[in-house]
């Protein structure tokens, strides 16, 4: 469950967090040491509109830098979110706690070593009508199926998803399952890099659920990852999505670490007097 101690060492955890940045790029980014501000104005997704810190030891001048980051988000018209992971410096967590920041979006990163697929699952080329497709075909099928939820399948949301996936520079894998008439039944997206396979956006048409198709789509990704030399697979799953969590347990995934978001009381407002009082010579880290 979210909040459990991470089962991964910090080096592997950091590699997965970097893979997350690469696998779903934001429209804009600003880097300050180990602090990475992700900004995608007009996109409501927190994963591309949050501050990610990649080193638990980079808590220097935390309050000042945090104030500057909040100004940056306000300037870009994006509500401020801190993505809290085991890499988040203690100083930031203490500030969030002391100022009563809201906690939201509890989720886990689950991992799986690249070993044999679960028994009885055929993930070969063309198995059960599953085939690789290009990005346009994936987006079209994702929308036809209804996405992972209704708000993800609107025209604007599909365009944002297409734009974000179009920015992926590492190996992007997209698979489609069809029925005998060629109508889409399910889709899945994966990203492979540095021996790791990240699985995103698994969606199955409502009437095709609970028939094993989700497992076969995941298995197809795992097989492709293995063929590309990936030694570890990973994915993100929200705390409330118990059907997905049950599926991933059956597929051999286990808890790696948890994360959540911290949101200031006035996420889009301007920062307090802390920044205004900072000497001009100290304002080079924003």
């Amino acid at each position: 469950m979210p909040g459990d101690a991470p089962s991964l060492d910090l080096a592997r955890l950091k590699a997965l967090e970097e893979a997350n940045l690469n696998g779903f790029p934001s429209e804009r980014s600003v880097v300050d040491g180990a602090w990475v501000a992700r900004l995608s104005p007009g996109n409501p997704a927190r994963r591309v509109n949050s501050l990610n810190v990649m080193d638990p030891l980079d808590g220097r001048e935390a309050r000042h830098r945090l104030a500057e980051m909040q100004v940056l988000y306000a300037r870009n018209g994006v509500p401020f979110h801190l993505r809290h992971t085991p890499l988040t410096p203690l100083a930031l967590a203490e500030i969030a706690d002391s100022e009563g920041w809201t906690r939201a979006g509890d989720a886990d990163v689950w991992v799986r070593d690249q070993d044999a697929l679960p028994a009885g699952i055929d993930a070969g080329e063309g198995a059960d009508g599953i085939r690789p497709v290009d990005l346009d075909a994936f987006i079209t099928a994702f929308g036809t199926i209804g996405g992972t939820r209704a708000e993800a399948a609107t025209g604007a949301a599909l365009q944002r998803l297409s734009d974000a996936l179009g920015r992926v520079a590492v190996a992007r894998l997209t698979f489609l399952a069809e029925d005998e008439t060629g109508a889409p039944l399910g889709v899945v997206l994966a990203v492979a890099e540095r021996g790791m396979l990240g699985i995103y956006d698994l969606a199955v048409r409502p009437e095709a659920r609970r028939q094993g198709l989700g497992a076969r789509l995941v298995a197809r990704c795992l097989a492709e990852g293995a063929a590309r030399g990936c030694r570890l697979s990973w994915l993100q799953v929200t705390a409330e999505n118990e059907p997905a969590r049950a599926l991933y347990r059956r597929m051999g995934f286990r808890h790696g670490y948890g994360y959540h978001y911290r949101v200031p009381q006035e996420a889009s407002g301007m920062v307090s007097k802390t920044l205004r009082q900072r000497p001009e010579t100290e304002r080079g880290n924003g």
Side-chain angles (χ1 to χ4, degrees):
M1 294 298 293
D4 290 348
S7 65
L8 307 174
D9 60 56
L10 285 182
R12 177 56 60 87
L13 200 155
K14 182 174 184 291
L16 288 175
E17 284 293 290
E18 291 172 348
N20 178 54
L21 300 184
N22 296 336
F24 214 96
S26 58
E27 181 181 328
R28 308 170 189 172
S29 63
V30 175
V31 177
D32 172 12
W35 297 29
V36 181
R38 309 186 78 196
L39 303 124
S40 297
N43 189 333
R46 288 176 294 211
R47 60 181 168 179
V48 290
N49 284 299
S50 54
L51 173 62
N52 295 249
V53 185
M54 312 301 288
D55 184 351
L57 300 180
D58 189 4
R60 60 184 174 80
E61 298 184 346
R63 191 171 294 275
H64 294 310
R65 294 165 75 192
L66 194 56
E68 289 181 331
M69 284 294 181
Q70 289 180 263
V71 168
L72 175 69
Y73 277 77
R75 182 183 301 130
N76 284 271
V78 174
F80 180 83
H81 292 75
L82 169 66
R83 187 170 185 270
H84 187 283
T85 76
L87 298 177
T88 302
L90 178 61
L92 270 70
E94 290 176 341
I95 291 171
D97 289 341
S98 68
E99 296 185 357
W101 290 16
T102 301
R103 175 172 175 155
D106 282 80
D108 287 324
V109 174
W110 284 12
V111 297
R112 184 187 190 279
D113 296 323
Q114 278 287 36
D115 50 18
L117 295 174
I121 295 179
D122 181 4
E125 180 73 34
D128 296 321
I130 298 173
R131 61 184 178 89
V133 293
D134 62 20
L135 179 57
D136 287 343
F138 171 85
I139 294 294
T140 298
F142 187 80
T144 301
I145 288 166
T148 51
R149 59 194 186 285
E151 57 267 34
T154 66
L158 291 172
Q159 185 59 57
R160 288 192 297 264
L161 179 62
S162 178
D163 291 344
L165 295 181
R167 290 190 291 269
V168 174
V170 294
R172 183 187 63 230
L173 313 173
T174 42
F175 295 100
L176 166 67
E178 300 169 305
D179 64 16
E180 62 277 2
T181 70
L185 292 174
V187 292
V188 67
L189 161 73
V191 175
E193 64 154 322
R194 293 182 293 167
M196 298 178 292
L197 180 81
I199 299 175
Y200 298 85
D201 290 328
L202 170 66
V204 175
R205 203 164 75 192
E207 58 267 33
R209 294 171 186 168
R210 292 178 292 278
Q211 299 175 34
L213 178 57
R216 293 193 294 274
L217 284 163
V218 172
R220 184 72 177 85
C221 291
L222 295 176
E224 181 64 26
R228 291 170 177 261
C230 293
R231 301 177 299 279
L232 183 79
S233 297
W234 64 277
L235 51 81
Q236 301 172 354
V237 58
T238 59
E240 68 274 8
N241 194 347
E242 187 52 43
R245 296 167 81 88
L247 165 64
Y248 299 139
R249 287 190 198 99
R250 292 196 301 271
M251 298 296 295
F253 285 88
R254 67 184 190 281
H255 177 266
Y257 59 97
Y259 70 90
H260 59 271
Y261 295 92
R262 301 297 300 270
V263 187
Q265 295 299 319
E266 297 182 3
S268 60
M270 295 302 288
V271 55
S272 69
K273 62 181 180 181
T274 303
L275 179 59
R276 295 195 298 271
Q277 293 175 344
R278 188 175 180 185
E280 190 67 33
T281 56
E282 295 180 5
R283 296 186 184 179
N285 294 322

